[in-house]
C-alpha cells in the first residue's frame, strides 16, 4: 500500500501509479488482468492480420516463410496464454469474491505476484522475435524435433517465458481454489454457488493438474537442447512421439480450461435476460465436472495420424465423442432456460446467444474431427483451424466480451453506449463468420494449415477469409472505444443494473466500492 | 481476514502447491518411463526385441509357414551417409535364425557417429521379431569416407499371428552429433533402442 490511510480504513482506492504495482485488491488486480489481456488481444490480433495479409492472395507477397511461421506460432501462443487465459483470470478476480460474499481473494499478496509475472513473461516471449535467427517458428504446439533439433536459438527464451506463464497460472489457480473453498459467506453452500464460480473452481483444478505437465514438457525440451538428454531424440533412444503425448496430455485439458469459464459466464447471463432460473443447475455442475474428467482421456485425438494401433484409435474416438454428451446437456439447458422465458436482447444477451449458436457449430466440427478415420483427411488442414476458431473466438472470446458487457456497468457505475455496442456486435458477428466459415471448405478441399502459399484453386475462399479477418480486427477497436467511453461516463447504472439479475454482486452499489463484503453477507 | 482464516488459506495453498510440484515430477519422470514401458510391452512404437543367440538357436522352426521379410533403409535429415539394405527381401520360416546385411558409407570427410533406429510394421509384429545381432545395438562410428557391411541376425517367433505373411523392417540412421563413441558406449548399450 502506498499511502498510510489505506492500511487502516476501508476507503476508496489509493492514488498514483504505484497503486497498481503494489495493489493486493482483487478488483484492481482483476482490472490489470483484463487490460493486459486486451493489450495481448491486440498484439496477437495484429499477428493474425499479417497472416491473413499474406494469405489474401496465392503466391508469396509480403513476408518470408520463416517469419510467416513465427507469426502463426506467436499468434497462437499470445492468444492462448496472453489473451484468453488472463482475461478469464481477470474476470475470476473481479467476480468470484463478489459472488461468494468474500472481502477479497484468499491470498492477496500472491495475487499481486501472479499478475505481475505476466507482463515479464509476455515481454520475454515477444522479444524472441527480435533475436538472431528469429522467434519460435514451430507452431504453438512446438512439436519436437522442430522445437529441439531444428529450432532457432531464441527458443530457450520461449521456454523460460512458458515457465513463467505456468507459474502465474498455477499461483492464480491456487488462489481461486483457496478463495472458493475457504472464503464463502455463511450460508453459501457449494450447491448455491453461481455457475461462474463452479466452472472456475473446476478449471482451477484442471490448471493445477496440467500446467505442471506443460512446464515438464518445456523442461525436457530445454535439457534436450542444452544438456544432452534425449527425451525426444530418436538418435539417443528417445522418441519425438513422446513429446506429442506429453504436450496433448496438457493440451487437451488446456482447451477446456479456455471454455469451462465461458460456460459459467453464459450460464449467468442467459437466466438474467430470459427472466427465468437456470434450467438444470445441478446437471450443469455435473456436466462441467464430467467434461473436466473426460478431458484427461482424449488427448490422442490430436494424434490419430501418428500411427496408433486400431484399439487406440477406437478408444480415443469413443472417449472424444463421449464429451459431446455433457456438452450437449449444457446447450440443452441453456435453450431450456430460454424456453418460454420473457426474453430481452440487451448486448450481453446478444453475445451470449451468439456464443451458444456459434460455439455449437465448433462442437459439431469437433465431432467430425473426433471420428478417427475422417480425421486422417482433415488433420492439419484448415478444417481444424476453422474448428478451433469457432470454439475459441466465437466461444471463449465471445463469452469474455459478453461478460464485459454484462458486468461493465457494475465495474464503472455507467451504462455503456448502446449504439456503439450494437455496431460492435453486428460487425463482429458478420465478419467473424466471413473469416472462419470458408475455412471449413478450404480444409475439406485439402488446404494445409501453417503454409504461407497455396494452390490458386483456394484463392476465393482465402480472399473472403482475409477480408473477414480485417473487418473483425477493426471491429474490436469499437470495443476499446466503448469500454473507454463507459469508464469516462454515461448513464448512471442502478445497483441491480439488469432487471432480472440475481446474485450477491448485484446487491452492492454500482460502481462496486473498493472494498466489499468486509462484513460477510447472510445468504439464505 | 482473521488469523484463523489466514492459516487455513495458507495450509490449503501449501497442499495445492505440493500437488503442482508432484505433477511436474509426474510429467518429467513418470510419463517418459510409462511411455517406454508401454512401448516395450506392446511394441507400439515399432521397436523390435533382442534375445540371446543360444535362446534363438534353441527355438524349433515352424517349417509349415513361410514369412516374407522386406528390408528398408533411410538416413535422417542431412546425415551425409549412404545407407542401404544389401538384401531387399528374403523368405524365412518362423523360428529360423536368418542373417542379412546392410551397407553404410560415410560420404563426408569428417568422422560421424550414427545410431540406427528400427521400426517394424505391422506394429503388432514387434513383439515377435527378435534380433540376436544388430548394428543398431550400439552407436556406429564412421571415419571420413569409411564404409562397412553390417550384419543383422534375427528370428521370427513361431507364435507370430497367423494372418501375418509379410513383415517390413525399416532402419533410420540418425546423427548422434558426437565425435567419439568409446567413452560412453557402455551407456549407449542401455539407452539405445533395439
Ligand atoms: C465437442 C467437443 C470437441 C471435440 C469432439 C473436439 C475434437 C477435436 C479434435 C479431434 C481435434 C484434432 C483435430 C486434428 O488436429 O486433426 C481438435 C482440435 C482442436 N480443438 Fe477441439 N474438440 C472439441 C471442443 C473443443 C473446445 C471446446 C476447444 C477450445 C475451447 C477446442 C479447441 C481445439 C483446438 C485449439 C484444436 C487444435 C489444436 C492444434 O492442433 O493446434 N476444441 N478438436
Ligand atoms: Cu482435444
Amino acid at each position: 500500500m502506498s499511502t498510510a490511510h489505506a492500511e487502516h480504513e476501508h476507503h476508496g482506492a489509493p492514488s498514483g501509479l504505484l497503486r497498481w504495482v503494489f495493489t493486493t485488491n482483487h478488483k484492481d488486480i482483476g482490472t490489470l488482468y483484463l487490460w493486459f489481456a486486451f493489450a495481448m488481444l491486440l498484439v496477437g490480433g495484429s499477428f493474425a492480420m499479417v497472416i491473413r495479409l499474406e494469405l489474401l492472395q496465392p503466391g508469396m507477397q509480403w513476408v518470408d516463410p520463416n517469419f510467416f511461421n513465427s507469426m502463426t506460432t506467436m499468434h497462437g501462443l499470445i492468444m492462448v496464454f496472453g489473451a484468453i487465459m488472463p482475461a478469464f483470470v481477470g474476470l475470476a478476480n473481479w467476480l468470484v469474491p463478489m459472488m461468494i460474499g468474500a472481502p477479497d481473494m484468499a491470498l492477496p499478496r500472491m495475487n499481486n505476484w501472479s499478475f505481475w509475472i505476466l507482463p515479464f513473461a509476455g515481454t520475454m516471449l515477444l522479444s524472441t522475435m527480435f533475436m538472431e535467427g528469429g522467434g519460435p517458428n514451430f507452431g504453438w504446439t512446438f512439436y519436437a524435433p522442430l522445437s529441439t533439433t531444428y529450432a532457432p536459438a531464441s527458443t530457450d527464451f520461449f521456454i523460460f517465458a512458458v515457465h513463467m506463464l505456468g507459474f502465474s497460472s498455477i499461483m492464480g489457480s491456487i488462489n481461486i481454489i483457496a478463495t472458493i473453498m475457504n472464503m464463502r459467506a455463511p450460508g453459501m453452500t457449494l450447491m448455491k454457488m453461481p455457475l461462474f464460480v463452479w466452472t472456475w473452481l473446476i478449471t482451477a483444478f484442471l490448471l493445477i493438474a496440467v500446467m505442471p505437465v506443460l512446464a515438464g514438457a518445456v523442461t525436457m525440451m530445454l535439457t534436450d537442447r542444452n544438456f544432452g538428454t534425449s527425451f525426444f531424440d530418436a538418435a539417443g533412444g528417445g522418441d519425438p512421439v513422446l513429446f506429442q503425448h506429453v504436450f496433448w496430455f496438457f493440451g487437451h485439458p488446456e482447451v477446456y480450461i479456455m471454455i469451462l469459464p465461458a460456460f459459467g459466464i453464459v450460464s449467468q447471463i442467459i437466466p438474467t435476460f430470459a427472466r427465468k432460473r437456470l434450467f438444470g443447475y445441478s446437471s450443469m455442475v455435473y456436466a462441467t465436472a464430467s467434461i473436466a474428467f473426460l478431458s484427461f482421456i482424449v488427448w490422442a485425438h490430436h494424434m490419430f495420424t501418428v500411427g496408433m494401433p486400431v484399439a487406440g484409435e477406437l478408444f480415443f474416438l469413443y472417449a472424444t465423442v463421449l464429451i459431446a454428451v455433457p456438452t450437449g446437456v449444457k446447450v440443452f439447458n441453456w435453450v431450456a432456460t430460454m424456453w418460454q422465458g420473457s426474453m430481452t436482447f440487451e448486448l450481453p444477451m446478444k453475445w451470449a446467444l451468439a456464443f451458444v449458436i456459434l460455439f455449437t457449430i465448433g462442437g459439431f466440427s469437433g465431432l467430425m474431427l473426433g471420428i478417427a478415420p475422417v480425421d486422417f483427411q482433415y488433420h492439419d488442414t484448415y478444417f481444424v483451424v476453422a474448428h478451433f476458431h469457432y470454439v475459441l473466438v466465437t466461444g471463449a472470446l465471445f463469452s469474455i466480451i459478453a461478460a464485459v458487457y454484462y458486468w461493465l456497468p457494475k465495474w464503472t457505475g455507467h451504462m455503456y453506449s448502446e449504439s456503439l455496442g450494437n455496431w460492435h456486435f453486428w460487425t463482429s458477428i458478420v465478419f467473424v463468420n466471413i473469416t472462419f466459415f470458408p475455412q471449413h471448405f478450404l480444409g475439406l478441399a485439402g488446404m494445409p494449415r501453417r503454409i504461407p502459399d497455396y494452390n490458386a484453386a483456394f484463392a476465393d475462399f482465402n480472399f473472403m477469409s482475409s477480408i473477414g479477418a480485417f473487418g473483425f480486427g477493426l471491429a474490436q477497436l469499437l470495443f476499446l472505444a466503448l469500454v473507454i467511453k463507459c469508464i469516462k461516463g454515461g448513464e448512471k447504472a442502478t445497483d441491480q443494473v439488469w432487471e432480472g439479475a440475481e446474485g450477491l454482486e448485484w446487491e452492492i452499489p454500482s460502481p462496486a466500492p473498493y472494498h466489499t463484503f468486509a462484513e460477510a453477507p447472510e445468504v439464505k | 481476514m482473521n488469523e484463523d482464516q489466514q492459516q487455513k488459506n495458507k495450509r490449503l495453498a501449501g497442499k495445492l502447491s505440493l500437488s503442482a510440484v508432484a505433477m511436474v515430477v509426474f510429467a518429467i519422470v513418470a510419463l517418459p518411463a510409462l511411455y517406454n514401458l508401454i512401448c516395450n510391452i506392446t511394441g507400439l512404437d515399432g521397436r523390435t526385441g533382442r534375445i540371446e543367440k543360444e535362446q534363438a538357436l534353441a527355438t524349433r522352426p515352424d517349417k509349415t509357414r513361410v514369412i516374407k521379410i522386406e528390408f528398408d533403409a533411410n538416413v535422417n535429415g542431412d546425415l551425409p551417409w549412404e545407407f542401404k539394405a544389401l538384401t531387399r527381401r528374403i523368405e524365412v520360416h518362423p523360428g529360423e535364425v536368418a542373417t542379412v546385411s546392410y551397407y553404410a558409407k560415410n560420404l563426408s570427410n569428417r568422422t560421424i557417429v550414427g545410431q540406427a533406429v528400427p521400426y517394424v510394421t505391422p506394429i503388432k509384429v514387434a513383439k515377435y521379431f527378435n534380433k540376436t545381432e544388430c548394428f543398431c545395438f550400439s552407436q556406429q562410428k564412421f571415419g571420413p569416407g569409411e564404409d562397412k557391411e553390417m550384419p543383422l541376425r534375427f528370428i521370427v517367433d513361431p507364435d507370430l499371428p497367423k494372418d501375418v505373411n509379410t513383415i517390413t523392417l525399416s532402419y533410420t540412421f540418425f546423427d548422434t552429433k558426437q565425435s567419439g563413441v568409446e567413452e560412453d558406449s557402455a551407456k549407449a548399450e542401455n539407452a539405445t533402442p533395439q
Side-chain angles (χ1 to χ4, degrees):
Chain A
M1 292 275 159
S2 54
T3 46
H5 76 265
E7 303 233 67
H8 306 293
E9 270 305 309
H10 293 162
H11 290 315
S15 49
L17 250 187
L18 282 182
R19 157 189 173 184
W20 297 103
V21 179
F22 295 116
T23 183
T24 57
N25 178 288
H26 74 102
K27 300 187 182 82
D28 279 354
I29 293 176
T31 304
L32 285 170
Y33 265 111
L34 286 168
W35 277 115
F36 176 78
F38 192 78
M40 287 295 122
L41 183 76
L42 295 185
V43 173
S46 62
F47 296 166
M49 297 299 110
V50 175
I51 296 170
R52 285 317 319 176
L53 186 66
E54 182 56 55
L55 295 175
L56 184 68
Q57 291 175 303
M60 300 299 302
Q61 347 269 343
W62 298 90
V63 295
D64 75 55
N66 188 52
F67 187 71
F68 182 89
N69 286 349
S70 67
M71 282 290 103
T72 56
T73 307
M74 280 294 174
H75 167 71
L77 291 169
I78 292 286
M79 287 305 196
V80 168
F81 296 107
I84 302 289
M85 290 172 67
F88 280 132
V89 181
L91 291 170
N93 261 288
W94 253 104
L95 299 169
V96 168
M98 293 195 325
M99 285 178 160
I100 61 173
D104 205 314
M105 297 294 281
L107 304 144
R109 273 166 198 278
M110 191 165 86
N111 208 12
N112 174 290
W113 271 98
S114 33
F115 172 75
W116 278 108
I117 289 177
L118 273 185
F120 291 97
T123 310
M124 177 165 304
L125 186 57
L126 289 171
S127 71
T128 56
M129 295 205 300
F130 303 99
M131 293 179 188
E132 218 177 292
N137 54 3
F138 30 66
W140 83 280
T141 50
F142 51 99
Y143 282 7
L146 276 181
S147 60
T148 49
T149 317
Y150 304 103
S154 63
T155 304
D156 293 329
F157 290 90
F158 152 82
I159 291 173
F160 193 51
V162 171
H163 275 138
M164 292 206 289
L165 291 164
F167 252 106
S168 162
S169 295
I170 290 170
M171 287 185 344
S173 314
I174 289 177
N175 220 334
I176 289 169
I177 295 177
T179 309
I180 300 175
M181 299 311 286
N182 290 349
M183 311 268 293
R184 275 170 289 130
M188 176 65 77
T189 58
L190 284 177
M191 288 312 269
K192 274 193 194 158
M193 294 194 311
L195 258 170
F196 179 72
V197 181
W198 254 117
T199 52
W200 240 118
L201 179 64
I202 293 170
T203 304
F205 276 111
L206 279 183
L207 275 165
I208 291 185
V210 301
M211 285 313 274
V213 175
L214 175 68
V218 291
T219 307
M220 290 188 267
M221 260 171 69
L222 187 77
T223 59
D224 268 15
R225 286 170 55 79
N226 300 310
F227 306 113
T229 59
S230 25
F231 287 103
F232 309 131
D233 182 8
D239 191 338
V241 176
L242 170 63
F243 178 87
Q244 297 188 26
H245 282 290
V246 177
F247 181 83
W248 288 114
F249 188 80
F250 148 79
H252 187 82
E254 166 69 17
V255 307
Y256 280 93
I257 285 166
M258 294 189 283
I259 205 67
L260 294 183
F263 291 166
I265 291 166
V266 172
S267 305
Q268 302 292 135
I269 294 177
I270 289 181
T272 300
F273 298 98
R275 292 169 181 77
K276 271 178 64 193
R277 302 208 87 150
L278 182 68
F279 184 89
Y281 171 92
S282 51
S283 69
M284 282 298 207
V285 174
Y286 295 128
T288 311
S290 34
I291 291 176
F293 169 74
L294 286 174
S295 74
F296 283 104
I297 54 164
V298 298
W299 77 89
H301 66 210
H302 297 273
M303 311 167 50
F304 280 139
T305 57
V306 292
M308 257 190 279
V310 179
E313 305 266 349
L314 280 172
F315 173 80
F316 287 108
L317 186 165
Y318 287 130
T320 299
V321 174
L322 203 59
I323 294 200
V325 176
T327 313
V329 168
K330 294 198 158 270
V331 176
F332 178 86
N333 286 350
W334 292 323
V335 176
T337 306
M338 290 184 270
W339 185 255
Q340 295 193 331
S342 10
M343 290 209 280
T344 50
F345 299 94
E346 284 86 343
L347 279 161
M349 185 64 162
K350 284 203 183 88
W351 285 98
L353 288 178
F355 169 96
V356 173
I357 295 165
L358 298 175
F359 169 78
T360 305
I361 293 179
F364 282 138
S365 56
L367 275 176
M368 292 170 70
L369 291 166
I371 311 295
V374 296
D375 183 67
F376 275 63
Q377 181 191 338
Y378 306 154
H379 181 62
D380 264 344
T381 68
Y382 257 83
F383 192 81
V384 178
V385 178
H387 159 64
F388 68 71
H389 283 92
Y390 266 88
V391 285
L392 284 171
V393 176
T394 63
L397 180 64
F398 272 28
S399 80
I400 292 165
I401 296 175
V404 172
Y405 275 97
Y406 187 52
W407 281 289
L408 197 59
K410 177 56 66 186
W411 299 338
T412 63
H414 306 128
M415 298 306 289
Y416 50 74
S417 153
E418 192 78 31
S419 60
L420 207 51
N422 272 316
W423 272 101
H424 175 218
F425 176 75
W426 288 111
T427 47
S428 293
I429 284 292
V430 171
F431 283 122
V432 87
N433 284 295
I434 296 179
T435 311
F436 296 117
F437 211 83
Q439 296 184 355
H440 291 112
F441 305 131
L442 286 171
L444 294 179
M447 177 169 160
R449 63 190 283 206
R450 294 171 173 157
I451 298 283
D453 186 12
Y454 51 83
N455 189 303
F458 303 131
D460 292 348
F461 281 135
N462 270 295
F463 186 78
M464 268 172 82
S465 185
S466 288
I467 297 300
F470 302 148
F472 184 72
L474 286 176
Q476 302 324 303
L477 298 179
L478 294 176
F479 186 41
L480 177 63
L482 177 136
V483 171
I484 292 176
K485 206 168 153 209
C486 183
I487 292 172
K488 290 218 169 120
E491 190 195 325
K492 280 238 35 76
T494 61
D495 291 354
Q496 198 191 5
V497 184
W498 314 106
E499 186 192 52
E502 275 176 36
L504 290 177
E505 80 268 33
W506 307 111
E507 290 169 15
I508 56 177
S510 302
Y514 196 58
H515 295 285
T516 39
F517 299 125
E519 290 302 323
E522 197 60 54
V523 181
K524 297 159 290 291
Chain B
M1 230 185 302
N2 57 35
E3 287 284 308
D4 241 27
Q5 181 85 62
Q6 265 178 18
Q7 278 306 317
K8 237 170 91 188
N9 289 342
K10 284 199 181 130
R11 230 173 306 132
L12 181 56
K15 279 186 212 153
L16 293 170
S17 318
L18 275 185
S19 14
V21 173
M23 283 307 290
V24 177
V25 176
F26 172 76
I28 299 183
V29 180
L31 277 184
L34 218 64
Y35 180 78
N36 274 332
L37 187 73
I38 292 174
C39 287
N40 283 340
I41 294 173
T42 60
L44 280 189
D45 58 352
R47 286 184 211 185
T48 48
R50 176 180 184 176
I51 58 174
E52 292 308 318
K53 209 163 111 194
E54 294 71 30
Q55 194 190 342
L57 290 173
T59 312
R60 269 250 300 276
D62 173 0
K63 300 273 189 204
T64 63
R65 289 180 71 190
V66 176
I67 311 293
K68 195 195 300 172
I69 320 259
E70 300 173 329
F71 300 94
D72 175 48
N74 307 283
V75 290
N76 178 256
D78 43 15
L79 178 68
W81 283 15
E82 183 190 351
F83 177 47
K84 62 185 180 194
L86 292 176
T87 322
R88 298 298 297 276
R89 180 181 296 123
I90 59 169
E91 297 192 332
V92 298
H93 298 298
E96 173 190 16
V97 179
T99 308
V100 296
S101 314
Y102 274 74
Y103 170 84
K105 179 175 167 107
N106 181 354
L107 302 175
S108 76
N109 50 16
R110 62 197 161 89
T111 299
I112 296 178
V113 181
Q115 168 69 53
V117 176
Y119 192 85
V120 69
T121 47
I123 289 176
K124 66 177 170 190
V125 167
K127 280 196 280 209
Y128 305 96
F129 196 97
N130 293 308
K131 289 174 260 189
T132 61
E133 188 181 338
C134 177
F135 50 91
C136 63
F137 288 169
S138 60
Q139 300 184 341
Q140 301 290 330
K141 182 176 177 177
F142 279 64
E146 184 180 344
D147 67 341
K148 251 191 256 179
E149 256 184 46
M150 301 174 296
L152 164 68
R153 191 161 296 140
F154 65 91
I155 175 170
V156 178
D157 196 307
D159 292 335
L160 184 74
K162 291 277 176 272
D163 59 330
V164 179
N165 301 310
T166 307
I167 296 174
T168 307
L169 179 64
S170 171
Y171 282 99
T172 304
F173 248 112
F174 287 80
D175 189 347
T176 61
K177 302 262 160 45
Q178 286 166 20
S179 47
V181 67
E182 293 80 11
E183 58 272 21
D184 55 11
S185 63
K187 191 180 105 206
E189 281 284 318
N190 301 323
T192 50
Q194 295 144 12

